[in-house]
Amino acid sequence: MNSQNEGAAETGGADNRDARDADRVVIFDTTLRDGEQSPGCSMNLEEKIQVADVLERMGVDVIEAGFPIASRGDFEAVNKIAKRVKDSAVAGLARATVKDIDRAWEALRPAERPRIHTFLSTSPLHMKHKLQMEPEDVHQAVIDSVTHARNLCPDVEWSPEDGTRTEHDFLCRTVESAIKAGAGTINIPDTVGYTVPEEFHELIAMLMNRVPNIDQAIISVHCHNDLGLAVANSLAAVRAGARQVECTINGIGERAGNCSMEEVVMALRTRHDAMPYTTGIDTTMITKASHLLSAVTGFTVQPNKAIVGANAFAHEAGIHQDGMLKHAGTYEIMTPESVGLNRSTLVMGKHSGRHAFQSKLEELGFTLGDNELNDAFQRFKDLADHKKDVYDEDIVALVDDAVLRHNDRIKFGSLQVVCGSKGPQKAELELEVDGVAHSESAEGNGPVDAVFQAIRKIFPHDGRLQLYQVHAVTGGTDAQAEVTVRLEEAGKSVNGQGADYDTLVASARAYINALNKLLVKREKTAPAAISA
Ligand code: KIV
Ligand code: ZN
């Protein structure tokens, strides 16, 4: 437990502020709320718990676990995480209504350090067109909602949605009233990713100067990445006095995403000379958290993504490699080890034993239970029989595929495909649906189409295929194929992933994975006002 959070349950965020190091930046992770809200990033309960466990272990101060009123699944996830997490505060989102706030509190109540995060739009555009409320009524609703939340929970955060497009006088007035009503954290969202660093710095400085009771709250920032400026804007705000940054692993989130946690944390750490602020994050957990999130969401990060992309620490150019051999600092501003990436050369093969496999998994950031380990080891052995060298990327793909899907309603059984130039292409497929085995065969326009037709015969659904993408996990003709499938149903889209040394099996697995996510998504009925 860090000292910063310790006081929150008794005193609320405001008093807590005095007790902590003035240069300490609170990391508020919203991967499970704003991140999970974005298209294709749905997680089931078990996946959310796995992510929450990693966030807690890496030292995240506040985990925003979900939006309890959004669905039964969201409520359950926030409630389970609230019961389980001990070292981080657990937040739940609520609109400015009694019903939302009560529901959030019901979910959060068991937490050691619960936080209700309530929000209401304050920009002229949102008030007029989205809320259809007059500014005076919005102001009163802020006071009422924060007061109600504070009567339930000692730690309340308030956000003026679309804060960066809000008139300054009105922003100051609502912030002052929210603090008076008991909010210990005031979060300024750049909801549509519109601001730029200098402007955001000025906005935060303006609030610090003009709001008379601002010293009784922590200023937080919540930046979206529509212009690719979320991290730069967040850092500019910290320089102006903000001491909480809201962010997500891999920068996932609505539209272009949220501020990326790994980038903001590593920027503060690497450029401490220019930005003398600290966080409580154990940065060596970053790679693990990133891999886990990619695995559970199917959202892989681009190879050149800062900090966690596959190429972030790769040096291909001869001149760079030569410099690196002489002194790593020539081309490396931070070490791979500092983000938990080991420069391992251990390549696995069919003679590698269970123990070596387990060490490799741990090195890659996976800690599996006995059953999961057995499943993964079986898959590894099978792969190693078909592939001479098994690389880290193969193992990540395999663990993702073999282990993280075991709660799925629909499970892959077996597949036989007839393909080639003579046609017709035909697939014979076995699936397990809710524990019952089914088999079907289907013809199609090509083998992939035949496989997908067979899935539709076994499990009829309205989902439309929007994307089918294959990439080789490593080089060589024996490389595993990693397939991504995007399905869309009733305006909701999900991404599924599957990996196998057989491209058609990988395709079936990816489709089934997407279908399972669609089933989870069907349960969700997000309230209209969730636009952030
Ligand atoms: O982007 C946004 O405005 C949000 C709020 C709910 C904080 O996500
Ligand atoms: Zn947001």
Side-chain angles (χ1 to χ4, degrees):
M1 182 188 302
N2 65 47
S3 57
Q4 180 178 331
N5 282 335
E6 248 166 314
E10 296 101 37
T11 62
D15 295 349
N16 196 25
R17 182 179 198 272
D18 305 329
R20 67 153 215 262
D21 174 359
D23 295 329
R24 169 74 150 74
V25 176
V26 173
I27 296 297
F28 177 111
D29 181 278
T30 184
T31 304
L32 295 172
R33 199 278 297 170
D34 220 348
E36 207 259 348
Q37 218 169 286
S38 62
C41 279
S42 300
M43 296 174 228
N44 63 30
L45 179 62
E46 195 203 353
E47 291 166 344
K48 285 183 185 174
I49 288 173
Q50 285 181 332
V51 172
D53 283 353
V54 168
L55 294 175
E56 182 183 23
R57 278 175 52 205
M58 75 194 290
V60 164
D61 300 290
V62 187
I63 299 172
E64 188 165 48
F67 193 175
I69 202 148
S71 68
R72 203 168 36 81
D74 259 50
F75 177 88
E76 210 185 322
V78 176
N79 190 243
K80 282 255 158 59
I81 291 168
K83 287 180 183 152
R84 186 179 177 95
V85 165
K86 301 289 173 234
D87 294 340
S88 314
V90 178
L93 189 68
R95 288 167 299 181
T97 67
V98 169
K99 217 169 147 207
D100 267 48
I101 293 168
D102 287 350
R103 189 72 171 148
W105 179 237
E106 202 187 329
L108 290 166
R109 195 199 282 264
E112 294 251 319
R113 280 182 299 287
R115 173 179 293 189
I116 296 177
H117 176 193
T118 183
F119 71 101
L120 189 60
S121 292
T122 50
S123 67
L125 202 66
H126 276 222
M127 288 192 291
K128 182 164 179 215
H129 297 287
K130 179 178 135 175
L131 300 178
Q132 293 170 343
M133 281 169 80
E134 291 302 320
E136 274 321 303
D137 299 328
V138 168
H139 180 247
Q140 192 54 48
V142 172
I143 297 173
D144 295 346
S145 54
V146 173
T147 304
H148 182 61
R150 188 66 169 83
N151 285 338
L152 299 171
C153 180
D155 188 359
V156 173
E157 171 171 331
W158 180 70
S159 296
E161 190 183 0
D162 205 19
T164 50
R165 295 192 298 172
T166 297
E167 285 171 350
H168 287 189
D169 288 351
F170 190 61
L171 188 63
C172 288
R173 189 162 159 240
T174 48
V175 166
E176 184 182 349
S177 297
I179 297 173
K180 248 190 225 149
T185 301
I186 297 293
N187 177 47
I188 307 299
D190 183 28
T191 302
V192 290
Y194 180 71
T195 198
V196 294
E198 295 75 14
E199 180 185 83
F200 202 39
H201 183 282
E202 274 170 33
L203 182 72
I204 301 301
M206 185 278 296
L207 288 169
M208 301 288 284
N209 288 330
R210 283 186 52 190
V211 176
N213 54 359
I214 200 73
D215 59 328
Q216 291 168 37
I218 293 174
I219 296 198
S220 165
V221 288
H222 175 112
C223 296
H224 280 266
N225 204 31
D226 300 66
L227 294 173
L229 292 171
V231 172
N233 289 336
S234 303
L235 293 172
V238 169
R239 289 204 310 276
R243 287 296 177 270
Q244 175 174 291
V245 171
E246 302 202 352
C247 47
T248 60
I249 299 291
N250 295 344
I252 67 165
E254 287 281 1
R255 307 179 309 276
N258 286 62
C259 171
S260 142
M261 189 225 276
E262 59 279 5
E263 291 179 26
V264 93
V265 165
M266 288 311 288
L268 289 175
R269 183 185 147 137
T270 308
R271 293 308 311 275
H272 191 73
D273 56 330
M275 297 175 289
Y277 312 101
T278 58
T279 72
I281 298 296
D282 173 359
T283 61
T284 64
M285 295 282 295
I286 283 176
T287 298
K288 177 187 172 74
S290 170
H291 280 162
L292 174 66
L293 191 72
S294 293
V296 299
T297 59
F299 257 47
T300 43
V301 295
Q302 75 210 47
N304 60 328
K305 160 90 172 67
I307 318 295
V308 290
N311 292 350
F313 292 92
H315 302 277
E316 189 96 6
I319 191 166
H320 287 199
Q321 287 177 346
D322 181 55
M324 285 289 295
L325 289 173
K326 290 177 176 141
H327 190 291
T330 49
Y331 287 100
E332 229 168 50
I333 58 167
M334 53 203 156
T335 64
E337 289 79 7
S338 67
V339 300
L341 189 67
N342 294 319
R343 295 181 209 252
S344 163
T345 50
L346 180 61
V347 178
M348 311 285 293
K350 67 177 174 191
H351 300 298
S352 306
R354 196 183 147 91
H355 188 69
F357 178 68
Q358 190 170 7
S359 311
K360 175 54 92 180
L361 286 184
E362 278 163 17
E363 182 194 310
L364 292 172
F366 296 105
T367 316
L368 304 185
D370 280 350
N371 289 342
E372 293 171 329
L373 182 63
N374 286 342
D375 286 354
F377 188 57
Q378 268 320 109
R379 282 287 297 273
F380 160 70
K381 279 293 188 193
D382 187 32
L383 178 65
D385 274 342
H386 291 84
K387 194 170 187 298
K388 191 166 146 281
D389 295 321
V390 179
Y391 296 97
D392 289 4
E393 297 90 323
D394 286 314
I395 292 179
V396 170
L398 175 154
V399 172
D400 168 6
D401 200 87
V403 177
L404 294 167
R405 312 288 176 223
H406 66 261
N407 265 355
D408 286 351
R409 280 184 59 194
I410 308 169
K411 291 187 169 132
F412 175 80
S414 69
L415 178 68
Q416 280 299 119
V417 179
V418 179
C419 64
S421 59
K422 291 208 172 121
Q425 289 81 18
K426 194 171 164 194
E428 281 177 27
L429 178 70
E430 282 181 3
L431 297 183
E432 203 182 284
V433 181
D434 294 328
V436 180
H438 297 262
S439 61
E440 274 294 350
S441 66
E443 290 183 2
N445 294 320
V448 176
D449 189 46
V451 172
F452 292 177
Q453 295 298 343
I455 297 174
R456 271 183 195 277
K457 274 187 158 178
I458 294 177
F459 196 90
H461 56 279
D462 293 331
R464 283 187 312 117
L465 183 68
Q466 290 194 315
L467 173 99
Y468 171 75
Q469 191 174 281
V470 186
H471 98 266
V473 173
T474 57
T477 50
D478 64 351
Q480 276 197 100
E482 195 163 46
V483 176
T484 304
V485 160
R486 184 177 304 146
L487 291 180
E488 188 266 340
E489 186 186 73
K492 295 171 180 169
S493 58
V494 290
N495 281 344
Q497 281 206 321
D500 201 275
Y501 52 83
D502 183 309
T503 308
L504 294 169
V505 172
S507 304
R509 290 184 187 280
Y511 195 103
I512 293 163
N513 182 228
L515 206 46
N516 279 300
K517 288 187 169 178
L518 214 47
L519 299 182
V520 173
K521 197 94 177 174
R522 275 184 194 166
E523 284 180 21
K524 290 200 160 204
T525 46
I530 305 177
S531 61

